[in-house]
Amino acid sequence: MNNKLKQLDEQAVQYIAVGAAVLGTGGGGDPHIGKLMALEAIRKYGPVRVLSPEELADDDLVIPLSMIGAPTVMNEKIPSVQQMAMPLDLIEKELGRKVTAIMPIEVGGGNSLVPVLAAAERGIPILDADAMGRAFPESQMVTFYLDGIDCSPITMADERGNGVLMHAIDGIWEERMARAITIQMGGSASICDYPVSGAQAKQSAIPHTLSLAYDIGKTLFESKDSKQNPIEALLEQLHGYALFQGKAVDIRRRTEGGFTKGEAVFEGTDAYRDRMMRLFFQNEFLLATEEGKSLAVTPDLISLLDQDTGMPITTENLKYGARVVAVGFPCDPKWRAPKGLDTVGPQYFGYDVPYVPIEELAGGKGEKL
Amino acid sequence: MNNKLKQLDEQAVQYIAVGAAVLGTGGGGDPHIGKLMALEAIRKYGPVRVLSPEELADDDLVIPLSMIGAPTVMNEKIPSVQQMAMPLDLIEKELGRKVTAIMPIEVGGGNSLVPVLAAAERGIPILDADAMGRAFPESQMVTFYLDGIDCSPITMADERGNGVLMHAIDGIWEERMARAITIQMGGSASICDYPVSGAQAKQSAIPHTLSLAYDIGKTLFESKDSKQNPIEALLEQLHGYALFQGKAVDIRRRTEGGFTKGEAVFEGTDAYRDRMMRLFFQNEFLLATEEGKSLAVTPDLISLLDQDTGMPITTENLKYGARVVAVGFPCDPKWRAPKGLDTVGPQYFGYDVPYVPIEELAGGKGEKL
């Protein structure tokens, strides 16, 4: 990884939108929309300072700000600065103090950049960290939950001016209530949850994921202009594995219970000719299989990249006939501990396969493209 | 009507549980459970002072407190003092001031008495008024909504300790969000909404409905010991009409979307032999018909009374074979204005009949039993 990011300017937003969509494993919001929103905010209010977790004082107040809901809906209801400001206003009022830094709750083309709107408008920094190290569909799927940190108070808003504040007894109850409210709010909402102290952020968040997203985006953009294959460059950078290469021949996608759920089938091309991969998703890509055998399993990261440019493809924007490379990366070790696997392992999502680390599935090496 | 109630003691709770169930038109919560809860609170904390709306100062703060959800569920999840206190605590904190009086949002065997728990525990009065003059199933079905009063802030709690505060842009959005939260909370929840000033309560609430419920209950209890038929005594007292007399031969009841919905069929007895009445409900009895002709239509009040004792029967407790008299009463005039009928008229509930005042349907006089 390169030096840590110090501020988010227009160039950094371009890189992060793409890099975060790779780590967002198909979810975490649309990178194009995240980029447009963040660019508009930066043009209006100026660049946003990036704070590294080590720079936090123990009693600082860090508040995650994100969009919750089905990506299908978020592509059509683009949040405004006002909608992002309302949950922050509500939570600051409830806590009786001002926020030190805003942080992304997850890595994703949308949710890595959504905090930029509020940070730019208020002139406060954004934290170079998140609580997943990737994207996941449900609100309790955060390192803060694994570490027993209180999720409350939780605040939410829609684009009309409806606002909600909740005290949930745990992250599971937050998810139930917040999801029900999100559905009523039309399928997407802005949300602040797990307000943490500087000490908690340093102990529990996954650090430097904005910097990592920036580096990934930079690699993909720069490889355009060099002779290196962008996907190879990326796999090298992230110690990842190529899982499959092919084209999308069947995509089933439905919006259900506030999620975008479904599966896609890919027919192999090139070295993968005569082979088929199935990819299962709930907002994020969660399981890749070939002939019933797992290629990669949640919580390890699965991303789809455009075969030519290496640009990431979200669950929502995957189109019939798309030529892709599926890649996999190891998740943060926190997710591989028992509570991590209970929370985000394949059984939780209803997939009847065991979790096997991607390093084992890939036999210790990635297949060559 | 007799003199106004001055305090709620055990005797008053007995009367109100029954009288409010008559005005609650089958809904508004179970009178037996409401009574047990209120009696326990009064035994522990002493009688509760009753405040008449005229006694309010214009800048007093009056907060309605009730249970929201399906009666089917509320009969099994009896709320505690703690569950009733939480929404009050949350709304007082949000408004930054203490409540002057708690009021019932509707008249019903449960919801007329639910405020007694919190009033007794805090030693504050309960207002002799409500915002429906009967019971209705949805939260925007209140005179406050007709009069354009802001429903927010709204606070809710479940029995586990989950609490919610909402700022809804209008009563319709409150209903959507509060109902979704109620379902997640297991089908019933405690709620404060439409916090009003003393001036607003005097202008918009329906006054003296606790006193009215008390009087009705007293009439029914006392007629037990006299020679007068209790139902005739009641109809005389309320200027009401007997609609039908018969026994329940078919009851279809389902819990759907946080409501108890369904219909019941009655076979005529005595003077009504060889006739049939259908009764449609959503938490409350909303429409009574005979051979496709309306006998009484929401928002006018329809109640079922036990043929022998005159005791009211809720939608939830109606049993196959029950021998009943169906009675009807005119609603408060506010409900008969255009916005009232838009909000609670038969079309709103999906019944394809026009609203005709019960005085016209009954031809100016009640049929004799």
Side-chain angles (χ1 to χ4, degrees):
Chain A
M1 200 181 299
N2 295 341
N3 289 330
K4 303 294 171 290
L5 262 183
K6 294 294 173 200
Q7 74 167 24
L8 288 188
D9 54 18
E10 295 190 26
Q11 174 69 81
V13 165
Q14 304 270 4
Y15 287 167
I16 289 171
V18 166
V22 172
L23 296 172
T25 65
D30 188 84
H32 184 64
I33 289 169
K35 185 177 72 181
L36 293 180
M37 285 166 50
L39 288 179
E40 191 187 326
I42 285 177
R43 281 175 197 140
K44 186 164 177 193
Y45 301 106
V48 168
R49 187 158 76 92
V50 177
L51 205 63
S52 198
E54 311 88 69
E55 297 176 73
L56 287 170
D58 282 356
D59 63 350
D60 279 345
L61 173 61
V62 179
I63 296 183
L65 174 64
S66 60
M67 292 297 293
I68 177 172
T72 323
V73 174
M74 273 181 272
N75 283 4
E76 296 179 7
K77 292 204 309 174
I78 299 179
S80 64
V81 167
Q82 289 68 35
Q83 189 183 348
M84 302 318 296
M86 188 169 181
L88 265 182
D89 291 339
L90 289 171
I91 204 167
E92 283 186 334
K93 183 178 173 194
E94 175 67 12
L95 295 172
R97 57 182 294 208
K98 291 287 175 187
V99 58
T100 313
I102 302 174
M103 72 175 271
I105 195 77
E106 65 179 355
V107 187
N111 268 339
S112 283
L113 292 172
V114 148
V116 173
L117 270 76
E121 190 239 354
R122 294 183 175 220
I124 55 177
I126 182 170
L127 191 70
D128 187 5
D130 79 294
M132 300 189 194
R134 49 164 295 165
F136 278 122
E138 298 183 11
S139 52
Q140 78 281 11
M141 297 173 171
V142 286
T143 52
F144 298 146
Y145 175 75
L146 300 189
D147 290 330
I149 294 171
D150 189 2
C151 59
S152 300
I154 303 135
T155 54
M156 301 176 65
D158 70 7
E159 71 281 13
R160 297 168 197 84
N162 290 305
V164 172
L165 180 147
M166 303 193 291
H167 293 272
I169 51 173
D170 62 32
I172 303 294
W173 278 97
E174 178 203 337
E175 170 61 23
R176 286 180 191 161
M177 298 194 291
R179 191 68 53 183
I181 286 287
T182 300
I183 293 169
Q184 294 306 314
M185 285 179 165
S188 76
S190 57
I191 183 167
C192 289
D193 59 356
Y194 292 93
V196 287
S197 67
Q200 288 172 318
K202 282 183 278 190
Q203 174 247 325
S204 186
I206 298 179
H208 307 129
T209 48
L210 271 184
S211 291
L212 178 61
Y214 176 96
D215 291 344
I216 293 169
K218 191 159 183 275
T219 297
L220 288 177
F221 275 104
E222 288 182 350
S223 64
K224 271 187 190 171
D225 311 319
S226 73
K227 276 171 290 188
Q228 198 184 13
N229 176 303
I231 298 177
E232 282 174 6
L234 189 69
L235 291 176
E236 196 173 297
Q237 183 178 20
L238 291 173
H239 310 292
Y241 305 89
L243 305 173
F244 199 81
Q245 178 163 344
K247 66 174 183 183
V249 294
D250 191 11
I251 303 166
R252 294 171 201 203
R253 192 161 34 212
R254 59 191 191 280
T255 304
E256 180 188 304
F259 299 106
T260 301
K261 293 185 180 180
E263 58 178 283
V265 179
F266 298 84
E267 210 173 76
T269 54
D270 303 279
Y272 293 80
R273 188 171 300 277
D274 299 327
R275 294 166 63 178
M276 301 274 268
M277 178 183 75
R278 304 179 87 83
L279 196 51
F280 299 86
F281 52 89
Q282 177 179 329
N283 290 13
E284 282 74 36
F285 301 121
L286 296 171
L287 174 66
T289 64
E290 185 179 353
E291 293 184 353
K293 286 185 195 146
S294 297
L295 300 175
V297 185
T298 178
D300 286 329
L301 286 69
I302 303 168
S303 296
L304 281 189
L305 307 176
D306 179 276
Q307 202 173 302
D308 297 322
T309 64
M311 288 292 158
I313 299 169
T314 62
T315 47
E316 202 35 48
N317 292 326
L318 175 62
K319 289 185 176 56
Y320 180 83
R323 290 177 177 267
V324 307
V325 176
V327 296
F329 313 103
C331 66
D332 189 274
K334 290 196 180 197
W335 295 119
R336 295 181 172 184
K339 189 172 177 187
L341 290 177
D342 282 352
T343 306
V344 296
Q347 281 79 23
Y348 181 87
F349 293 104
Y351 304 127
D352 190 21
V353 300
Y355 171 70
V356 181
I358 192 165
E359 299 90 325
E360 288 178 37
L361 290 174
K365 61 171 180 55
E367 297 197 48
K368 286 302 284 179
L369 295 178
Chain B
M1 199 179 301
N2 295 343
N3 289 330
K4 301 296 171 288
L5 262 185
K6 294 295 174 200
Q7 75 166 21
L8 290 188
D9 53 19
E10 295 190 26
Q11 175 69 82
V13 164
Q14 305 268 6
Y15 287 168
I16 288 172
V18 166
V22 172
L23 296 172
T25 66
D30 187 85
H32 185 63
I33 289 169
K35 185 178 71 181
L36 293 182
M37 285 166 49
L39 287 179
E40 191 187 327
I42 285 175
R43 281 175 198 143
K44 184 162 176 192
Y45 301 105
V48 168
R49 188 158 75 92
V50 177
L51 204 63
S52 199
E54 312 87 69
E55 297 177 73
L56 287 169
D58 283 355
D59 63 350
D60 278 345
L61 173 62
V62 179
I63 296 184
L65 173 64
S66 60
M67 291 298 292
I68 176 173
T72 324
V73 174
M74 272 179 273
N75 284 5
E76 297 181 8
K77 291 204 310 174
I78 299 179
S80 63
V81 168
Q82 288 68 35
Q83 189 183 350
M84 302 318 294
M86 189 169 181
L88 266 182
D89 291 339
L90 289 171
I91 205 165
E92 284 187 333
K93 183 178 174 196
E94 175 68 11
L95 294 171
R97 55 183 293 209
K98 291 286 174 188
V99 59
T100 312
I102 302 176
M103 72 176 272
I105 195 76
E106 65 180 354
V107 187
N111 268 338
S112 284
L113 291 173
V114 149
V116 172
L117 270 76
E121 190 240 351
R122 292 182 178 222
I124 54 177
I126 183 170
L127 191 70
D128 186 5
D130 79 294
M132 300 189 194
R134 47 165 294 165
F136 279 122
E138 298 183 11
S139 52
Q140 78 281 9
M141 297 174 171
V142 287
T143 52
F144 298 146
Y145 175 75
L146 301 187
D147 290 330
I149 293 172
D150 189 2
C151 59
S152 300
I154 303 136
T155 54
M156 301 175 66
D158 70 8
E159 72 280 14
R160 296 169 198 83
N162 290 303
V164 172
L165 180 147
M166 303 193 292
H167 294 271
I169 51 173
D170 62 31
I172 303 294
W173 278 99
E174 179 203 336
E175 169 61 23
R176 286 180 191 161
M177 297 194 292
R179 191 68 53 182
I181 285 289
T182 301
I183 293 170
Q184 294 306 315
M185 284 179 165
S188 76
S190 57
I191 182 168
C192 290
D193 59 355
Y194 293 93
V196 288
S197 66
Q200 288 173 318
K202 283 184 277 189
Q203 174 247 325
S204 186
I206 298 179
H208 307 130
T209 47
L210 271 184
S211 291
L212 178 61
Y214 176 96
D215 291 344
I216 293 170
K218 191 160 183 276
T219 298
L220 288 177
F221 275 104
E222 288 181 351
S223 64
K224 272 189 191 172
D225 310 319
S226 74
K227 276 171 289 189
Q228 197 185 13
N229 176 303
I231 298 178
E232 282 174 6
L234 189 68
L235 290 176
E236 196 173 298
Q237 182 178 21
L238 290 173
H239 310 292
Y241 304 89
L243 304 174
F244 199 82
Q245 177 164 342
K247 65 174 184 183
V249 293
D250 191 12
I251 303 166
R252 295 171 200 203
R253 194 162 30 213
R254 60 191 190 280
T255 303
E256 179 187 304
F259 299 106
T260 302
K261 293 185 179 180
E263 59 178 284
V265 179
F266 299 84
E267 210 172 78
T269 54
D270 304 279
Y272 293 81
R273 189 172 299 278
D274 298 328
R275 294 167 63 178
M276 300 274 266
M277 178 183 74
R278 305 179 87 83
L279 195 52
F280 299 86
F281 52 88
Q282 176 179 329
N283 290 12
E284 281 74 37
F285 300 122
L286 297 170
L287 173 66
T289 64
E290 183 179 355
E291 293 185 353
K293 285 183 197 149
S294 297
L295 300 175
V297 185
T298 175
D300 286 330
L301 286 69
I302 302 167
S303 295
L304 281 189
L305 307 176
D306 179 274
Q307 203 172 300
D308 297 321
T309 64
M311 289 291 157
I313 300 168
T314 61
T315 47
E316 201 35 48
N317 292 327
L318 175 62
K319 290 186 174 56
Y320 179 84
R323 290 177 177 269
V324 307
V325 177
V327 296
F329 314 103
C331 64
D332 188 273
K334 291 196 179 197
W335 295 118
R336 294 181 172 185
K339 190 172 177 186
L341 290 176
D342 283 351
T343 306
V344 296
Q347 281 78 25
Y348 181 87
F349 292 105
Y351 304 127
D352 191 20
V353 299
Y355 171 70
V356 181
I358 191 164
E359 299 90 325
E360 290 179 37
L361 290 174
K365 59 170 181 56
E367 297 196 50
K368 286 302 285 180
L369 294 179

